[in-house]
């Protein structure tokens, strides 16, 4: 099939591209390269269109590529920036997303696979692991924009006759994640450990997250592609809580680091617990995570070590 992947030069998007290519699909990519890295697509049979989703020229990409499927991963993904400049966050995530969906309508796309956010979308909740039936209570403009796009994707799909699915990711980690800026804690820890420096833990380290390996997330996109009749929102996580203290201990073990972490004050407003219930994805998409946390951490650390040696 002809698949257009937005954000396909990014951390998660480039793994989704790899998964589609491995199954013989024809893949094109739209990425502004604001955070994406074209090196992740180098040498692969992929056409990269360096373009912002808000650009009027996006329609020309659809005319040239004629995608049947769109996997939408491009986003302004910094929670911090969304708080400082919520209008910018909405312009990228909502207005850019609507421009994309209008192009889907005109091009006759048959399915849209939207990458949403579980933790940011649900916000603080007492339901752990959190099912899809839990209310969306986003605590940041980023979470609001991601939830809003879920509704736009579903509503416009129903109006215009394409099938849609929203994949609500847990805390995704793995190779190619950039440790700079507002990155995932695992990438930041790996970057420090490769340098022989102790990672810093905010607060007491008992806050929990659901760490999900990036190749499992790519497999979820494949599962959503393979079952076009399945629609709605699906949690993509492991259903297992891991504290930051436990994460440090496991990663230090994988890195052969025997020192203690440094400690910093807790970040105001940080979500204390986040863990997603993936049962619906197993039942309806046939998707289950396959990479254990220890295995995923070992693979991720090896990637960072190799990159540091380049």
């Amino acid at each position: 099939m002809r698949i257009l992947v937005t954000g396909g030069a990014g951390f998660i998007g480039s793994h989704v591209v790899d998964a589609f290519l491995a199954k013989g699909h024809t893949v094109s990519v739209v990425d502004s390269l604001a955070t994406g890295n074209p090196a992740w697509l180098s040498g692969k049979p992929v056409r990269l269109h360096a373009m912002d989703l808000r650009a009027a020229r996006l329609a020309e990409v659809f005319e040239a590529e004629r995608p049947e499927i769109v996997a939408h991963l491009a986003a302004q993904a910094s929670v911090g920036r969304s708080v400082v400049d919520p209008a910018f966050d909405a312009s990228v995530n909502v207005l850019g997303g609507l421009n994309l969906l209008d192009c889907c309508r005109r091009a006759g796309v048959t399915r849209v696979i939207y990458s949403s956010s579980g933790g940011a979308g649900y916000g603080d909740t007492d339901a752990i692991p959190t099912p899809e039936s839990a209310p969306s209570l986003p605590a940041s403009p980023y979470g609001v924009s991601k939830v809003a796009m879920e509704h736009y994707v579903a509503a416009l799909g129903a109006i215009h006759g394409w099938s849609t699915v929203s994949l609500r990711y847990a805390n995704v980690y793995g190779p190619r994640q950039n440790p700079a800026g507002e990155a995932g804690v695992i990438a930041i820890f790996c970057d420090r450990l490769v340098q022989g420096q102790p990672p810093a833990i905010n607060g007491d380290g008992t806050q929990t997250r659901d760490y999900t390996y990036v190749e499992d997330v790519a497999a979820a996109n494949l599962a959503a592609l393979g079952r076009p009749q399945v629609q709605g929102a699906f949690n993509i996580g492991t259903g297992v809580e891991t504290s930051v203290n436990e994460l440090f201990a496991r990663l230090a073990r994988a890195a052969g680091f025997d020192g203690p972490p440094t400690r910093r004050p807790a970040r105001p407003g940080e979500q204390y617990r986040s863990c997603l219930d993936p049962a619906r994805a197993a039942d309806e998409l046939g998707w289950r995570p396959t990479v254990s946390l220890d295995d995923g951490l070992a693979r991720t650390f090896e990637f960072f070590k190799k990159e540091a040696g380049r």
Side-chain angles (χ1 to χ4, degrees), residues 3 17-18 33 35 80 95-96 149 161 164-165 210 213 232 245 280:
I3 307 174
V17 167
D18 288 348
L33 302 181
T35 57
L95 297 183
M149 274 310 299
T164 64
V165 65
D210 182 345
Y213 192 62
N245 288 331
R280 186 181 180 210

Side-chain angles (χ1 to χ4, degrees), residues 203-233:
D204 63 7
T206 58
Q207 61 270 37
T208 65
R209 296 293 183 267
D210 182 345
Y211 298 104
T212 307
Y213 192 62
V214 66
E215 289 182 8
D216 279 332
V217 171
N221 280 262
L222 268 181
L225 176 68
R227 298 196 180 187
Q229 77 283 2
V230 176
Q231 302 197 67

Side-chain angles (χ1 to χ4, degrees), residues 134-203:
S136 294
L137 299 170
S140 69
Y142 166 73
V144 171
S145 68
K146 295 299 285 186
V147 171
M149 274 310 299
E150 280 194 23
H151 291 294
Y152 277 118
V153 166
L156 291 174
I159 290 168
H160 299 302
W162 63 65
S163 72
T164 64
V165 65
S166 291
L167 304 179
R168 297 175 175 173
Y169 300 155
N171 284 69
V172 186
Y173 74 97
R176 305 179 192 166
Q177 191 167 28
N178 188 338
E182 190 166 323
V185 65
I186 291 174
I188 295 170
F189 280 13
C190 283
D191 187 55
R192 295 286 292 172
L193 290 168
V194 163
Q195 300 175 52
Q197 301 295 320
I201 293 177
N202 297 322

